[in-house]
């Protein structure tokens, strides 16, 4: 994936987040479609919320963030292996992904 700040090399199962940009173009390409036929790209924006609140983004807050498939799967497996205080299995196998700009969220 090429964007205004460089290139992101990603593989099947990886997840990456790019901050919003009013300038520049982002170009994605999947060399090998793999078992699922390529990449799933999602565009998520806070624009409706910002508009409702009557505010606008005025400064850069986030850097591009990459979450490798292996790290995410290992984190979920660590949770699956974890036991409660009485040795019982815990019913939580989700992780909340964050980035270095948000250290207080205690996320991966």
């Amino acid at each position: 994936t090429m964007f205004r700040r460089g290139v992101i090399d990603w593989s099947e199962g990886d997840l990456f987040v790019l901050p919003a940009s009013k300038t520049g173009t982002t170009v994605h390409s999947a060399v090998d479609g793999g078992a699922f036929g390529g990449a799933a790209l999602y565009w998520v924006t806070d624009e409706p919320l910002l508009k409702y609140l009557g505010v606008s983004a005025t400064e850069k807050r986030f850097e591009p963030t990459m979450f490798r498939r292996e790290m995410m799967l290992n984190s979920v497996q660590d949770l699956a292996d974890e036991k409660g205080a009485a040795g019982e299995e815990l019913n939580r196998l989700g992780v909340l992904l964050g980035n270095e700009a948000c250290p207080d969220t205690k996320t991966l």
Side-chain angles (χ1 to χ4, degrees), residues 12-90:
E12 184 177 337
D14 290 347
L15 182 146
F16 61 91
V17 179
L18 300 176
S21 173
K22 293 184 182 207
T23 61
T25 301
T26 301
V27 178
H28 300 281
S29 61
V31 176
D32 178 12
F36 300 104
L41 304 175
Y42 297 90
W43 178 44
V44 179
T45 178
D46 290 329
E47 185 176 3
L49 174 62
L50 297 176
K51 186 175 181 179
Y52 174 78
L53 296 173
V55 298
S56 62
T58 58
E59 62 187 65
K60 183 180 94 169
R61 297 251 175 167
F62 302 103
E63 296 295 325
T65 303
M66 167 69 80
F67 301 100
R68 296 284 179 195
R69 176 180 190 261
E70 183 177 315
M71 183 276 301
M72 292 186 288
L73 291 176
N74 288 341
S75 296
V76 171
Q77 187 61 53
D78 288 346
L79 289 173
D81 295 341
E82 197 173 298
K83 303 290 182 196
E88 75 277 11
E89 289 191 27
L90 300 175

Side-chain angles (χ1 to χ4, degrees), residues 86-99:
E88 75 277 11
E89 289 191 27
L90 300 175
N91 185 16
R92 58 182 174 95
L93 293 179
V95 293
L96 177 62
L97 301 171
N99 63 39

